[in-house]
Amino acid sequence: AVVAYRGHHRWLQTFEPIQSGPEHKQPGLRRGGVYLITGGLGRVGLLLAEYLVGEWQAKVALLGRSELPPRSEWPRWLAQSGDNGSRERIEKIQALEQFGTKVLVVSADVADEIQMKQALAQIRQRFGQLHGVFHAAGVTNWRQSLSEVGRPESERQFRPKVSGLQVLQQLLPLGELDFCLLFSSNAAILGGLGLVAYAAANSFMDAFAESRLAAGESVWRSVNWDGWPTDGQQAAPDFLARQQFVMNPRTAIEAVERTLSLPATGRLVVSVGELAERLAAWVHRQEAAGEKETPARAYPRPQLPTSYVAPGNEIERQIVCVWQELLGVEQIGIHDNFFELGGHSLLGTQLVSRLRQSFQVNVPLQSLFESATVAELGATIAENLAARVNEHFLAELEKLSPEEIEKMLTGSS
């Protein structure tokens, strides 16, 4: 929860719903306009480009760090078999150009000022004046536990969203732009296991947009998005477990239209579900405290990549019982993954709480990412139990006198 103290006042952050009425139906886009999409070769960027080109006959510049082969070599790349990311991007770009608009692909690091100067010069030379920017560049590394987050991971997340944004602020012709839409995430509001550096980088974008609006620069807008369609792209297991919060392509584009049709607010939140309820559950832990999410009935074991292996000891049997109660799944094996069974961050907090009560040992919440199976959790708990026994033995040993210790070692009475 976000709290601020000013003088004698205590301020709490709240969110107010915005109704998008008839007066807000027209998005602030120009037919035939020129738009830059950073992270343009990713799935979000390509989906935006398809909408802009198809619906608005826009001229689009797709900027990404990945460099595609020259157009003269595209036929050879398209003829290659196997999983090829470049071929997939080429096919999507060619599909965009079927609308009759040439798509400019620019290779540049958005956080590199020199590269971005060259990229913007190339866009102006090709298309002329730039009308809007979609800053969707970012790196997602979902399985990063708190203990693993250091400078390298922070820089990996901050480079596109923080340093890249600062470069855009320096180089973009703000007086000519209709908007610069920043793609932030609801992870900055709701958090999530493994998302600490990612949430921090997105929080910077939100604060940046709000501060620039206060300074009179209304072109900056930061949007905390729910999950975008991934087409199989790797994403957070606990987020995918709640598919009701992942937008489909039509919903995502409709949300973009509504966002651009509203007056400048600095920061907006796009939530598929009721945000107040999600804050209560994920941030204030009201659901976790009462354990209201325990399923009422158990479902048959789903199709999983692992074969069923029964518990082999009492610790594993107790863990399986807790999983079955929380997840509502019958016949859970010791090698099944918590997230593949439908687990998510909120259930993870309940699981850790129950394991601590059952075994009277510390089970860190981050251990769910590092030990996401019954067997792995069982081994961790067994180690903690053994360590606790050793600590107890040493504590009792310290209470004995040297003579009593000698008697124990020699076996004398």
Side-chain angles (χ1 to χ4, degrees):
V2 178
V3 180
Y5 290 92
R6 296 290 183 270
H8 298 290
H9 298 279
R10 180 177 183 268
W11 299 87
L12 293 175
Q13 184 185 60
T14 59
F15 297 91
E16 297 181 359
I18 295 179
Q19 299 298 328
S20 182
E23 69 276 12
H24 296 146
K25 284 188 176 180
Q26 193 63 247
L29 294 166
R30 305 186 187 210
R31 194 160 302 281
V34 178
Y35 298 101
L36 165 65
I37 305 175
T38 70
L41 297 179
R43 286 176 171 81
V44 173
L46 290 170
L47 181 58
L48 284 170
E50 181 180 357
Y51 163 69
L52 292 170
V53 171
E55 295 294 326
W56 294 90
Q57 295 77 54
K59 303 176 183 66
V60 176
L62 303 178
L63 186 140
R65 295 183 65 179
S66 302
E67 189 168 355
L68 290 179
R71 283 182 178 261
S72 59
E73 297 183 14
W74 284 12
R76 179 174 64 83
W77 281 82
L78 293 173
Q80 293 178 356
S81 59
D83 185 17
N84 189 309
S86 293
R87 187 186 66 195
E88 179 184 351
R89 294 186 183 99
I90 291 171
E91 289 174 343
K92 289 186 176 294
I93 291 169
Q94 288 184 332
L96 291 175
E97 292 179 341
Q98 294 297 316
F99 291 100
T101 302
K102 275 288 185 182
V103 176
L104 178 62
V105 180
V106 184
S107 177
D109 180 353
V110 70
D112 188 307
E113 185 175 350
I114 295 176
Q115 292 185 23
M116 283 304 297
K117 281 183 179 179
Q118 296 171 345
L120 290 172
Q122 187 177 349
I123 294 169
R124 292 191 188 96
Q125 182 179 8
R126 177 71 175 274
F127 294 137
Q129 179 181 338
L130 187 63
H131 298 122
V133 176
F134 297 85
H135 183 38
V139 177
T140 305
N141 187 346
W142 299 97
R143 287 184 175 270
Q144 201 77 20
S145 67
L146 187 60
S147 62
E148 297 172 322
V149 176
R151 180 174 291 275
E153 171 61 14
S154 297
E155 289 179 345
R156 193 155 44 244
Q157 296 291 349
F158 276 50
R159 184 167 182 83
K161 290 183 175 288
V162 177
S163 301
L165 181 52
Q166 291 170 334
V167 169
L168 289 176
Q169 181 190 20
Q170 294 175 17
L171 300 182
L172 288 176
L174 297 182
E176 302 175 7
L177 292 179
D178 298 328
F179 62 85
C180 184
L181 192 63
L182 311 180
F183 277 61
S184 181
S185 167
N186 274 344
I189 301 171
L190 300 172
L193 285 175
L195 301 180
V196 59
Y198 178 73
N202 285 293
S203 295
F204 176 88
M205 299 177 77
D206 301 335
F208 174 90
E210 290 178 323
S211 69
R212 298 327 302 159
L213 179 65
E217 297 179 5
S218 59
V219 297
W220 300 101
R221 303 181 181 202
S222 186
V223 180
N224 298 104
W225 294 103
D226 254 332
W228 273 66
T230 58
D231 276 347
Q233 185 182 21
Q234 184 181 6
D238 56 328
F239 272 59
L240 291 185
R242 293 190 157 195
Q243 287 289 342
Q244 68 267 35
F245 298 134
V246 177
M247 300 180 291
N248 59 43
R250 182 188 61 80
T251 302
I253 293 303
E254 182 181 350
V256 170
E257 291 180 335
R258 292 190 180 190
T259 296
L260 292 175
S261 70
L262 293 168
T265 58
R267 178 190 189 185
L268 285 170
V269 179
V270 174
S271 178
V272 176
E274 178 59 46
L275 184 62
E277 295 176 3
R278 298 171 72 185
L279 283 167
W282 287 71
V283 177
H284 304 296
R285 300 300 186 194
Q286 293 175 3
E287 291 284 337
E291 295 184 351
K292 299 176 183 177
E293 287 208 6
T294 302
R297 52 165 295 189
Y299 293 91
R301 174 183 171 83
Q303 291 290 334
L304 296 171
T306 53
S307 301
Y308 173 75
V309 178
N313 55 54
E314 184 58 29
I315 291 178
E316 291 178 349
R317 278 190 285 273
Q318 289 190 45
I319 296 174
V320 165
C321 287
V322 175
W323 283 33
Q324 288 175 337
E325 291 176 8
L326 284 176
L327 298 171
V329 177
E330 297 175 345
Q331 202 180 39
I332 293 176
I334 63 172
H335 299 306
D336 297 340
N337 187 284
F338 179 76
F339 298 106
E340 291 174 356
L341 288 167
H344 49 74
S345 296
L346 184 56
L347 284 178
T349 61
Q350 297 183 39
L351 170 63
V352 167
S353 176
R354 291 195 184 187
L355 293 179
R356 288 171 180 167
Q357 293 174 4
S358 297
F359 296 102
Q360 295 299 303
V361 294
N362 181 37
V363 183
L365 188 60
Q366 68 195 49
S367 64
L368 269 184
F369 275 145
E370 301 162 352
S371 308
T373 68
V374 170
E376 292 169 334
L377 272 177
T380 299
I381 290 172
E383 291 177 5
N384 290 344
L385 286 172
R388 191 182 69 182
V389 170
N390 290 336
E391 289 174 2
H392 177 73
F393 175 75
L394 291 173
E396 291 298 316
L397 198 62
E398 288 178 354
K399 298 177 182 178
L400 301 177
S401 66
E403 292 78 12
E404 289 173 320
I405 294 175
E406 184 177 356
K407 288 180 181 180
M408 288 179 59
L409 295 175
T410 60
S412 59
S413 58

